[in-house]
Amino acid sequence: AFHKRGGKLIMLHNTSDLAISALATARYYDAIVGSMGKKAADQFVRLYIVPGGDHGGANAPSKVDLLAMLERWVERRQAPSEEAIAEEYSADMQVTRSKPLCGYPRYPRYAGLGDAKLAASYRCVPVSR
């Protein structure tokens, strides 16, 4: 019903969330894809998994403007890309680390070269299930 009404949903879940497992959210997304098919699911839902972030997103680059992504999707019909950049900030609002947010079922992996604190040093790869 949500999809039929034109609803759009962007989910983000941190892997070190002690309150709710990221696996539960991944299973929810997988259930949507399983019941509707990937093509239909891609029309209204996205999931991004943040490696290492706790319940509030601390301890990892987890800050990303999901509202702007959702606005572009709803108002301009520009679906979110398969990758976004998440950042972590210092107290004086300087970027200290960044990492790609990969559209699930992909996950960022260090490419083996470059600064591990920079998103450019990572590639989005399929997760093993």
Side-chain angles (χ1 to χ4, degrees):
F2 179 75
H3 170 55
K4 287 180 183 177
R5 287 192 315 267
K8 306 292 186 206
L9 175 64
I10 300 175
M11 299 182 289
L12 180 130
H13 204 119
N14 301 312
T15 59
S16 295
D17 187 333
L18 298 177
I20 304 166
S21 171
L23 293 174
T25 303
R27 284 189 198 114
Y28 176 71
Y29 175 87
D30 289 339
I32 293 170
V33 171
S35 68
M36 301 181 73
K38 179 81 168 117
K39 187 176 179 179
D42 282 349
Q43 294 174 5
F44 79 100
V45 65
R46 295 290 189 279
L47 170 59
Y48 299 95
I49 305 288
V50 177
D54 67 12
H55 186 72
N59 303 318
S62 62
K63 306 302 181 229
V64 62
D65 192 349
L66 296 176
L67 182 57
M69 291 169 66
L70 186 61
E71 284 176 337
R72 283 190 297 273
W73 200 5
V74 171
E75 296 174 3
R76 298 183 206 150
R77 294 189 172 102
Q78 294 174 348
S81 68
E82 287 298 311
E83 293 181 30
I85 302 295
E87 297 173 325
E88 180 180 62
Y89 299 95
S90 63
D92 62 352
M93 297 307 293
Q94 299 299 309
V95 175
T96 56
R97 293 191 293 170
S98 63
K99 215 177 248 185
L101 284 181
C102 307
Y104 180 83
R106 296 175 321 125
Y107 195 80
R109 295 278 185 241
Y110 180 64
L113 298 170
D115 188 342
K117 293 181 180 181
L118 299 177
S121 301
Y122 292 80
R123 301 291 173 262
C124 291
V125 299
V127 246
S128 341
R129 295 189 206 179

